[in-house]
Amino acid sequence: MSKQYSILILGASYGALLGTRMVMGGHKVTLVCLPEEAKLINTKGQTVRMPVRGREGLVEIHSSKLAGKLSAASPTDVKPGDYDLIALAMQEPQYSSPGVRELLDAIGRSGKPTMSIMNMPPLPYLARIPGL
């Protein structure tokens, strides 16, 4: 791999699979979640279990055995400017939570590349796009 990217993913549940895939590729991923979840992820890592066609049962992938690095933080502990890519992967109601709302505003102002794996990006994020 020629470059390691630093990726911020809002949402440790919806973002788990995306984050794991990015860490498999050797990138640094930070998941934004509740402080208790962040402490658990930073202590024990994250395990994703998924079915694979042609295999019985679930394949288990643990973040500590992958090429990149996975960490987690609460919304107030991250700065969008520190990342190369930001992914929105929370359920829509979570974006109005204190801390998350302010982080989303900072993401919109940062101008960093942002992708959404939600059904519909939050309106404050869409509002920053000229002409929309």
Side-chain angles (χ1 to χ4, degrees):
M1 181 178 70
S2 59
K3 179 170 167 120
Q4 180 185 55
Y5 289 97
S6 186
I7 302 159
L8 180 67
I9 300 177
L10 277 67
S13 180
Y14 284 3
L17 183 57
L18 175 63
T20 298
R21 295 297 303 245
M22 298 291 192
V23 173
M24 287 172 79
H27 303 291
K28 277 180 47 182
V29 173
T30 302
L31 301 171
V32 173
C33 52
L34 295 171
E36 304 82 38
E37 292 172 311
K39 183 178 178 184
L40 185 61
I41 290 168
N42 290 332
T43 303
K44 298 191 178 217
Q46 188 175 48
T47 300
V48 174
R49 293 173 189 89
M50 64 183 139
V52 174
R53 188 177 298 158
R55 292 188 182 184
E56 263 189 58
L58 300 175
V59 171
E60 196 168 279
I61 302 169
H62 195 275
S63 61
S64 66
K65 298 177 182 177
L66 301 175
K69 181 176 177 356
L70 179 75
S71 64
S74 63
T76 56
D77 293 333
V78 296
K79 294 183 178 118
D82 295 343
Y83 298 90
D84 300 304
L85 174 68
I86 300 168
L88 306 177
M90 286 182 170
Q91 296 176 30
E92 286 83 351
Q94 292 176 299
Y95 286 102
S96 63
S97 301
V100 176
R101 179 182 33 224
E102 292 79 10
L103 176 57
L104 193 60
D105 181 61
I107 290 168
R109 294 176 189 281
S110 74
K112 291 292 182 170
T114 307
M115 62 182 269
S116 174
I117 62 170
M118 303 177 333
N119 293 335
M120 176 68 177
L123 295 177
Y125 172 76
L126 293 174
R128 80 170 178 89
I129 301 171
L132 186 65

